Structure formats: C-alpha cells, structure tokens
Amino acid sequence: MGPDREPEKMEPVSADQVTALRRFNRYFTRRIGALDDHYLGQDRPLGEARLLFEIGGAGASLRELRSRLGLDAGYLSRMVRALESQGLVRVSVHPGDSRLRVAGLTAAGQAEVKEQNRLADGLTEGLLSGLDAPRRAELTAALGTAHRLLRLAAITVETVDGASPDARACLDAYAADIDERFPEGFDPGTLVRPHEVSGDAGAFLVAYEEDRPVGCGALRRLAPRVGEIRHVWVHPAARRLGLGRRILDGLEQRATEREFTVVRLDTHATLTEARAMYRACGYTEIPRYDDNVYAAYWFEKRLPGAGAQEPPAR
Amino acid sequence: MGPDREPEKMEPVSADQVTALRRFNRYFTRRIGALDDHYLGQDRPLGEARLLFEIGGAGASLRELRSRLGLDAGYLSRMVRALESQGLVRVSVHPGDSRLRVAGLTAAGQAEVKEQNRLADGLTEGLLSGLDAPRRAELTAALGTAHRLLRLAAITVETVDGASPDARACLDAYAADIDERFPEGFDPGTLVRPHEVSGDAGAFLVAYEEDRPVGCGALRRLAPRVGEIRHVWVHPAARRLGLGRRILDGLEQRATEREFTVVRLDTHATLTEARAMYRACGYTEIPRYDDNVYAAYWFEKRLPGAGAQEPPAR
DNA sequence: TCTTTCCTTTGACTTTAGTCAAAGGAAAGA
DNA sequence: TCTTTCCTTTGACTAAAGTCAAAGGAAAGA
C-alpha cells in the first residue's frame, strides 16, 4: 500500500502485555471461537458455512468475498457454484462492471443463515447465562473496550500521494460528509490540491483498516515553518476508536520532520467534537488566520523539538 | 459428568450482550486468532505445529494430548510418528503404566517451539505497538477481565455423590491444602462422610472447568431446618475468578431446596479472605455453635424464601 | 486502437484433516 | 485366573481445503 508507514511509537512493549494477549488469544480461540465454528457448520463444510454467512443479507461480489475470506479464486468459484446448485445462492453479473459477479442469498440461503445465527446466539446465551447480571455487564464492557483497542491497534496510518485513488476516495467521502453536515453545504473546490501535500510542502495521510481506507488527514505549508492541518476525517464505521487523534499525531510528526515550528487549523462551527479533540491534543484557540468561509474557530499548536524559535508573526 | 447440573440463574440474557460477544468473537477469531495460527505453522501443517506446542517442554502422554487437542487416536498416533521421524519428538513408555506412551521434545523440537514462540511474540508485539502506553495498559486490563469472566462463565457447578472419585479428589486436595496452611495441621478424619451429604440430608457440589474438577463444597444437616456449609474449596489455578461465591450460591440453593431456613459455617483464623467473602455474601458472625477445633469464627445466613419461620434456637 | 490489467472459470493436482474398525499388549477388577 | 477395560497402532478410506496455471471476456490506460 502506501510506501511510507507511520514510524512506530518508540515506547517499548512490556513482555507481560505480550504474554497476556497471547494467553487470552489461546484461551479464546480454543474455547469460544472453536465452539462457534463447530456449530456454524452443522452439516455443511465449515468453508461453505462461512461463505454463506459472509455473503449475508446484502450479497457481495466474488472479489470482495475473496479478499474478506482470503480464499483462492478457483476455490471460491467452485464453492459458490456448489452453493448455487444447492439452491442457496444466486449469482449475477455486477451491474456496473461486468467482469465482476455478485452472489446473493436465495430465500433458502437466508433461512439457513438465520438458523446458523439462531444456533450461535443460543450457544452464546448459554455461555453468558453462567454469569450473574453485574458480571455479564462487566464482561460486555471489557469486550467492548478490547474490541475497540484491538481495532485501533490494527489500523495503520500511512503517507500516500495526494493524487492516489485512496486519497481521492477519502477526500470525496470527507466532502460528501461535511456537505451534509454544514448548513451551507460544502464546495469541493476548496479541498487541498495534490501538489500542496507532497514533498517538503506537506503530506497526506491515509489510515487503513484491513487494507481499506478509513480516514485521512492533510498537512500543507502555510508560510515558512508554519504548517496547516486540514481534512482530518474518519470513516463513520471507524469512529470512536481514537483514530482522529492518531491521524493528528501522525500529521504533527510529519510537520516536525519538515521543521515546521507550529501547526494551525480551522474548524467549522458545527464540529464540536473536533474542537474538543483539538483542545485535548494541546491546541489553543487563536484569532482568524485565513479567509476560509467555513471556519468559525482557529487553533494552533507549537511543536515540541522545534527548539526555542519564535513562531512567525500572525 | 454429574447428573444434576446447577439450575440456571433465571435473569434473562440481553440480546445486546449476545451480539457484543458474537461480534467480538468474529472479529477476534478472524483478525487475531487466525494470524497467530498462520504464523504458528510456518512451514508445517497447523495440526503438527499445535501438537508440538502442546507437548511443550514438560512432555505429555498421548492420552492427555488426545483429550487436550480433541484428536482421534489413530490420527494422533500417526502425527506423533511423523514428528518422531523428523527428529522433533521422542516417544517412550510411561514409567507407571506401560499402556501409555509419553511424548517429549528433542533438542530440535524445543528449538522449533522456541522459534514459534518468538514469532508469535513478535507478531503480538507488533500489534501492541500500534497503541500508546496508556491504551496498551487499558487493553491488557480489559483482556484480563474478559479472560477471567469467560473462564468463570464456562465453569459448571454440579451436584455429585460425595463418594465419587471427583468428590474424593477435591476433598483430598482441600485437606492437603489446609493441612499446609493451618499451623496445627489438619486431620482428614474430620471431613464430611458421604452419607452426610446425600439425599435430604445434604449435598456435595463439584465445579468443573473443561471436565476437570476445580472446586467443591458440601452441605449437611446440622439440625432440623438448619444446614451447615463445609469444605468450600477452589483449586489454586481457578482462584480469583469468583468461583467460591458461585459454589456458595449453589450450596444455598440446595439448602433452600431442602427447606433449610438457615445455614451456618465456621472458619479458621488463618482464612481471612474466606471470612471476607462470607461477610460479602450476607453471612453474619454468630457465637460458637460447634466444637470444631479448627474453627475460630462462626457465621450464619437466613435463607430467603424460607418464609417467616423462626430459626431454631442455637 | 491497442495493450495491459482485472476478474472469474476450469482442469488437474496435492495436502491436511479426519473417520472407522480391527487388533494386540497391558492393567484392573471379579 | 479370567474377563473386561484401556491405550495405542495399523490399514483403509473419505472429505475438505488449498494450490497453480492456463484461458477468456471485460474494463482501463496509453
């Protein structure tokens, strides 16, 4: 993917933490995960059961299924055909791109998936019924936290070319997102241009979760030694993980690499969570520094390691 | 195992909790568990790699391996032979019972397991390095909680015959345990007799984790409508899960079924954690009611649902 | 328009994983 | 001592999972 992976944070990982995660992994995979799998494929090979489940209510293209399940193209093709001949799956040509096929469940397929879910739910319920209500709540909370943090840990933030398809896709999504959120709409013409975020002038970061872009952020030079952070965006499905902060950290790192001593940013009146995040990350409010029609608040942050140099006058 | 499984607690399990656990399961098994497996068997079939890992430094009998990994006897036999012919495993006859074989790792086998561990540790470390230190600590804590509660949920508490091998094994372990802990030692002659804990007179509970007994507790009749709880014990490997409390709950349930209106128990001066647990579970301290030479504290609890009846005089 | 790249299908395999039953030596119970 | 029960090995299979390469139609880029 992007050539330039986010530099690792240099705090060492304690061996105890590694051990704890590995112990949990062993226990969980063996005791809980295996159980679920075992019941998933009642009288059907596990591969087929998983495929059926993955196709799900909405259907999916073979290409997507292949990447989600990590299967060989030939193997998948045959399994889909097998399910089709059992009347559980229907395959059709993708409307937009006739190289692709999309698989969807028939009524019989849906019934089987529903039954799978019923069984797995029952199993899970049986497990949970071994705990009283307060402990169940404690378990649910702990699993929620673990899920959130594991996802966050697995996301990588990479420097990409501002003109790359992933960067454009993120910016488009960003633009559509805020166009809906700003009462006055949003003009995509005001987005950063690729040349503004390349080389010494700036950077463009994309966050990837399982090879899918789920967030972005741009850094460009406003003036010598002054950077501006723009378009920090997180995909709705990846919000509340703390990813915005990670992207922001990454951008500040890039700014430091470019010897910027200060970074600025502006934000819209409606984005109150963003404002809170900037404050929490050490940004302080400053007077208007640009003529961005969407902005209502302006912030800046002095970068550490930039020495005792004065920031340029505003 | 035991015929009479602990009645389910009747609080309903919320659908959200079931969904949360299933979602976590899916995510974790696919993303983390699968990764680990994939690296475990670098250029070796997963089954063999798992077997090698399971034999581990201490070695294990084939019988044990079969039950731990849930393998067919023939299949296991062949896999062990394959590893033996690769020089990774050495098989010998069990010294005590020549029907059994024990498998142990050769130097080469140990080196390979060590390498497996190194790889898996590195992978885990890589994952954790995506988080900053406070979040890593949060994740570790959440996984610890989840692990503890999942184990507790998977433990079943069953009524068994007081003379059964599992019951005897627990009582022996209990006796050895407190013999070591009491400064004056412990005379196993004072343990309950099987007839005291059967039928209407009482009950004997054994807690099972993955079919292994990991705790016990006894209930016997002291006087009409008065029960006594004795020998509540938890295996060292299953402590700090909250299992003692569950056994206690189970015993109180059995007491209620037998229409006891009150249960009593005594405890040794050295068992301070036990005393705290009894207090937290609603027991109140009472004067000496027996001549148990090991007892220093006496407690009782009125059972709910037993109506307005007076407890018998002390 | 002409490559080149994508996506899927098909054929031809190989490896892993797993099952079942028969058989034989060893220990435990009657 | 004589079953009966255990534990392991062996033979004979089957099913599932996975791999690799060739090929053909469709879209995208030059």
Side-chain angles (χ1 to χ4, degrees):
Chain A
M1 199 67 41
D4 185 7
R5 156 173 295 226
E6 179 190 29
E8 300 290 353
K9 305 194 178 55
M10 275 301 126
E11 311 157 57
V13 177
S14 100
D16 281 357
Q17 291 176 329
V18 169
T19 309
L21 178 46
R22 287 198 62 205
R23 184 172 25 213
F24 181 84
N25 186 4
R26 254 197 316 277
Y27 180 79
F28 192 86
T29 315
R30 193 168 51 90
R31 288 284 305 161
I32 321 291
L35 253 181
D36 215 42
D37 269 1
H38 183 257
Y39 281 79
L40 189 59
Q42 277 300 56
D43 40 27
R44 176 176 302 292
L46 194 53
E48 278 185 24
R50 270 204 273 254
L51 178 53
L52 216 49
F53 183 89
E54 204 64 35
I55 293 172
S61 71
L62 296 196
R63 181 172 178 285
E64 216 178 319
L65 291 169
R66 228 175 52 221
S67 89
R68 284 217 293 251
L69 293 166
L71 296 174
D72 172 82
Y75 187 27
L76 175 65
S77 177
R78 254 179 285 260
M79 258 201 295
V80 168
R81 195 148 312 290
L83 290 174
E84 200 179 12
S85 78
Q86 289 170 68
L88 301 171
V89 159
R90 203 182 358 251
V91 179
S92 54
V93 176
H94 189 279
D97 181 343
S98 31
R99 290 172 303 181
L100 279 79
R101 314 265 129 139
V102 272
L105 297 180
T106 63
Q110 276 171 2
E112 177 153 340
V113 168
K114 208 168 153 189
E115 176 63 9
Q116 273 178 15
N117 275 319
R118 216 185 47 73
L119 279 169
D121 278 352
L123 198 75
T124 307
E125 207 173 308
L127 185 76
L128 284 173
S129 73
L131 297 176
D132 53 18
R135 276 156 218 251
R136 276 204 302 260
E138 199 186 346
L139 175 61
T140 305
L143 291 178
T145 301
H147 192 169
R148 181 169 60 79
L149 292 172
L150 287 169
R151 277 186 69 190
L152 181 60
I155 292 176
T156 60
V157 178
E158 299 172 18
T159 306
V160 305
D161 190 291
S164 71
D166 288 343
R168 297 327 293 179
C170 281
L171 285 177
D172 289 351
Y174 165 78
D177 197 353
I178 60 177
D179 182 53
E180 205 172 278
R181 213 177 312 189
F182 293 176
E184 70 273 33
F186 177 75
D187 170 18
T190 61
L191 291 172
V192 291
R193 308 268 181 260
H195 72 266
E196 294 180 280
V197 292
S198 67
D200 281 349
F204 196 90
L205 300 188
V206 171
Y208 292 93
E209 181 174 31
E210 304 182 30
D211 292 341
R212 261 186 294 279
V214 293
C216 68
L219 171 75
R220 66 166 181 171
R221 183 164 49 207
L222 264 191
R225 299 195 164 264
V226 181
E228 184 183 35
I229 282 172
R230 300 194 67 193
H231 310 330
V232 173
W233 173 79
V234 174
H235 191 284
R239 285 183 191 159
R240 316 207 55 74
L241 299 178
L243 179 53
R245 197 174 286 233
R246 253 186 90 187
I247 293 173
L248 201 57
D249 284 353
L251 290 169
E252 291 170 13
Q253 223 161 43
R254 303 302 185 287
T256 304
E257 285 161 20
R258 282 163 184 76
E259 307 200 322
F260 296 168
T261 56
V262 62
V263 285
R264 294 178 179 162
L265 55 87
D266 61 33
T267 181
H268 191 269
T270 59
L271 303 176
T272 48
E273 328 85 313
R275 228 150 55 226
M277 177 180 80
Y278 294 133
R279 285 219 173 76
C281 289
Y283 285 74
T284 51
E285 206 170 336
I286 56 169
R288 167 186 287 270
Y289 67 82
D290 62 14
D291 55 359
N292 183 345
V293 296
Y294 302 110
Y297 299 89
W298 294 263
F299 288 89
E300 80 170 21
K301 179 181 187 176
R302 292 285 208 78
L303 294 179
Q309 280 171 301
E310 276 302 295
R314 284 170 196 145
Chain B
M1 199 65 45
D4 185 10
R5 158 173 294 225
E6 178 189 31
E8 300 291 352
K9 308 198 175 52
M10 275 301 126
E11 312 156 56
V13 177
S14 102
D16 281 357
Q17 292 177 329
V18 169
T19 309
L21 177 46
R22 286 199 62 204
R23 184 172 26 211
F24 181 84
N25 186 4
R26 249 191 328 272
Y27 180 79
F28 192 86
T29 314
R30 193 167 50 89
R31 288 286 304 162
I32 320 291
L35 253 181
D36 214 42
D37 269 0
H38 183 256
Y39 281 79
L40 189 59
Q42 277 299 57
D43 40 26
R44 176 175 304 290
L46 195 54
E48 278 184 22
R50 270 204 275 253
L51 179 53
L52 217 47
F53 184 90
E54 203 65 35
I55 293 173
S61 70
L62 296 195
R63 182 172 177 285
E64 215 179 320
L65 291 169
R66 229 174 51 220
S67 90
R68 286 217 293 250
L69 293 165
L71 296 174
D72 173 83
Y75 187 27
L76 174 65
S77 176
R78 254 179 283 261
M79 258 201 297
V80 168
R81 194 148 311 290
L83 290 174
E84 200 180 10
S85 79
Q86 289 169 70
L88 301 171
V89 159
R90 201 184 358 253
V91 181
S92 54
V93 176
H94 184 106
D97 181 344
S98 32
R99 289 172 302 182
L100 278 81
R101 311 267 131 137
V102 271
L105 297 180
T106 63
Q110 277 171 2
E112 177 154 339
V113 167
K114 208 167 153 189
E115 177 63 9
Q116 274 178 16
N117 275 319
R118 216 187 47 74
L119 280 168
D121 279 352
L123 197 75
T124 307
E125 206 173 310
L127 185 77
L128 284 173
S129 74
L131 297 176
D132 53 19
R135 277 160 217 249
R136 278 207 297 263
E138 198 185 348
L139 175 61
T140 305
L143 291 178
T145 302
H147 193 168
R148 180 170 60 81
L149 292 172
L150 287 169
R151 276 185 69 190
L152 182 59
I155 292 177
T156 59
V157 177
E158 299 172 19
T159 305
V160 304
D161 190 291
S164 72
D166 288 343
R168 296 327 294 179
C170 282
L171 285 177
D172 289 350
Y174 165 77
D177 197 353
I178 60 177
D179 182 52
E180 203 170 282
R181 213 174 316 185
F182 293 177
E184 70 273 32
F186 177 75
D187 169 19
T190 62
L191 292 172
V192 291
R193 308 264 180 263
H195 72 267
E196 294 181 281
V197 291
S198 68
D200 281 349
F204 196 89
L205 300 186
V206 171
Y208 291 94
E209 182 175 30
E210 304 183 30
D211 291 341
R212 260 186 293 279
V214 292
C216 68
L219 171 73
R220 65 166 182 171
R221 183 164 49 207
L222 265 191
R225 297 194 167 267
V226 182
E228 184 184 35
I229 283 172
R230 301 194 66 194
H231 310 331
V232 172
W233 173 78
V234 173
H235 191 283
R239 287 184 190 159
R240 316 208 56 75
L241 300 178
L243 179 54
R245 199 175 286 234
R246 254 187 87 189
I247 293 173
L248 202 57
D249 284 353
L251 290 169
E252 290 170 14
Q253 225 161 42
R254 301 305 184 287
T256 304
E257 286 162 20
R258 283 163 183 76
E259 307 199 321
F260 296 168
T261 56
V262 61
V263 285
R264 295 179 180 160
L265 56 85
D266 61 35
T267 181
H268 190 270
T270 60
L271 304 175
T272 48
E273 328 86 311
R275 228 148 57 224
M277 178 181 81
Y278 295 133
R279 284 222 174 75
C281 289
Y283 284 74
T284 53
E285 206 170 336
I286 56 169
R288 166 188 285 272
Y289 66 82
D290 62 13
D291 54 0
N292 184 345
V293 296
Y294 302 111
Y297 299 89
W298 294 262
F299 288 90
E300 79 170 21
K301 179 181 188 175
R302 292 286 207 79
L303 295 178
Q309 281 173 297
E310 275 302 294
R314 281 172 200 145

